[in-house]
Amino acid sequence: MKVALVLGSGGARGYAHIGVIEEIKRRGHDIVTISGTSMGSIIGGMEAAGRLEEFTDWATGLTQLDVLRLYDLALSQPGIIKADKIFQAIGTMIDHVNIEDLSIPFTAVATDIVNYREVWFQRGSLEMAMRASCAIPTFITPVMINGKILADGGLMNPVPVEPTAAIPSDLTIAVSLAGRPNTVLSASAVNAGHADDVDENRQTLSDRLRKGVAGLIDVGLFRREDDRAVDDEGTDASPQVKTAPLYEVGKLPSDLNTMGVVNMSLETMQSLIARYRAAANPVNVHIDVPAAVSGTLDFHKASEVIEVGRQMAMTAFDEAGI
């Protein structure tokens, strides 16, 4: 089958994309177009450039100390690191190729944070497109390109399905990296040839949006249990019990730091955006990698995250019959 591949944002969890790609190819399918945001742009760009295997060997060999050595502090700049060392290594791997010269049509998505618009890179330097797409706010400094200040594409389009629509394909596979922490696998898949028979595809856009919103709002946080026991006849059996407090304030986790709060806040926002955009752009196979698989900056855990992606892809593809 001809596959349109969509790779989402999520920092180090993006290594899971490698496992997904390896499983797609192992099953004999052809990837005919790729779009990616943030880490998804790096993995997708490497595949489109035919350098994913080389990148995988490099990433799986990184220790935590190696990762720290790649962090070049951005003193007096709007971010913690400049990421020049990282993208120098990446640029060398891809031989500084331009996007239009890739063997697979590719789009990297970034965000224009001045004009509140997403930017699609479909021509020009692949290395620079990746760099702009990966500029995680507060961590990696944004870049100025053609008068635009560009930051992480996940701010507006965490799972960019739309850029793949122009290339004919048999099915679209999307990989999100913001699954709920307690989720082991959340993959919905339908066979491309029978998409019209699936109830979800018959739903209107408003129906899908309404369904998605239901899972985003916690109306039970301030709901207290009824403290009055009621007997079988519906009368009050224990009027002496005092009303339970509406809510209980606790201590924050001791290991929670400022960067952790920023990171979780961004992931919360991106999760919401991804759900709304997914409702408007349904795909054939959706793999939702749980946020708990790794931290956003755990770039030394490539091997185990790749394996998670492979296992989730196998399960999703088996369910889809592809």
Side-chain angles (χ1 to χ4, degrees), residues 255-270:
D255 59 347
L256 183 63
N257 54 34
T258 300
M259 192 63 194
V261 172
V262 172
N263 183 51
M264 288 188 290
S265 299
L266 288 172
E267 290 183 348
T268 299
M269 177 192 70
Q270 291 175 1

Side-chain angles (χ1 to χ4, degrees), residues 27-264:
R27 296 184 181 224
H29 304 303
D30 295 323
I31 299 173
V32 296
T33 180
I34 304 173
S35 66
T37 290
S38 197
M39 189 63 171
S41 74
I42 292 181
I43 304 303
M46 285 293 176
E47 172 61 18
R51 294 290 186 271
L52 184 58
E53 185 175 348
E54 181 181 349
F55 175 83
T56 302
D57 290 341
W58 175 71
T60 53
L62 292 174
T63 65
Q64 193 165 14
L65 182 58
D66 292 331
V67 173
L68 291 175
R69 286 172 176 164
L70 287 170
Y71 290 167
D72 43 0
L73 296 181
L75 301 176
S76 303
Q77 293 189 38
I80 296 176
I81 70 169
K82 294 178 290 185
D84 289 346
K85 291 182 179 179
I86 296 171
F87 284 95
Q88 284 172 2
I90 289 175
T92 300
M93 288 184 214
I94 60 177
D95 197 23
H96 307 288
V97 69
N98 286 332
I99 296 174
E100 60 267 29
D101 296 326
L102 299 174
S103 58
I104 300 174
F106 173 74
T107 303
V109 177
T111 301
D112 178 348
I113 58 176
V114 173
N115 297 304
Y116 314 143
R117 300 181 62 161
E118 64 182 90
V119 176
W120 292 4
F121 285 89
Q122 296 179 321
R123 296 181 62 83
S125 167
L126 173 61
E127 178 184 347
M128 185 54 65
M130 292 174 175
R131 172 64 179 82
S133 183
C134 291
I136 303 172
T138 72
F139 183 62
I140 298 178
T141 59
V143 294
M144 177 76 82
I145 298 178
N146 294 338
K148 295 180 172 62
I149 301 176
L150 303 182
D152 197 294
L155 295 173
M156 295 196 73
N157 202 345
V159 188
V161 176
E162 299 90 339
T164 64
I167 306 298
S169 63
D170 298 317
L171 76 162
T172 300
I173 297 173
V175 186
S176 168
L177 304 176
R180 294 186 179 182
N182 293 328
T183 301
V184 176
L185 174 64
S186 176
S188 59
V190 295
N191 187 288
H194 302 285
D196 293 338
D197 296 330
V198 180
D199 290 340
E200 184 174 351
N201 284 358
R202 294 174 181 166
Q203 293 177 321
T204 64
L205 174 58
S206 61
D207 288 336
R208 294 199 299 271
L209 289 174
R210 200 176 300 115
K211 182 180 179 181
V213 170
L216 297 173
I217 302 174
D218 187 354
V219 296
L221 178 60
F222 299 112
R223 179 186 298 154
R224 57 190 170 205
E225 295 295 331
D226 186 359
D227 58 295
R228 299 164 64 87
V230 178
D231 60 22
D232 293 338
E233 297 180 356
T235 58
D236 186 2
S238 56
Q240 74 279 6
V241 179
K242 293 183 179 180
T243 301
L246 181 61
Y247 53 83
E248 180 179 346
V249 179
K251 292 183 179 180
L252 291 171
S254 59
D255 59 347
L256 183 63
N257 54 34
T258 300
M259 192 63 194
V261 172
V262 172
N263 183 51
M264 288 188 290

Side-chain angles (χ1 to χ4, degrees), residues 293-312:
V293 164
S294 79
T296 301
L297 304 181
D298 288 340
F299 291 103
H300 58 290
K301 297 183 177 180
S303 296
E304 57 191 86
V305 179
I306 290 171
E307 187 58 30
V308 169
R310 180 181 292 107
Q311 294 299 323
M312 295 187 72

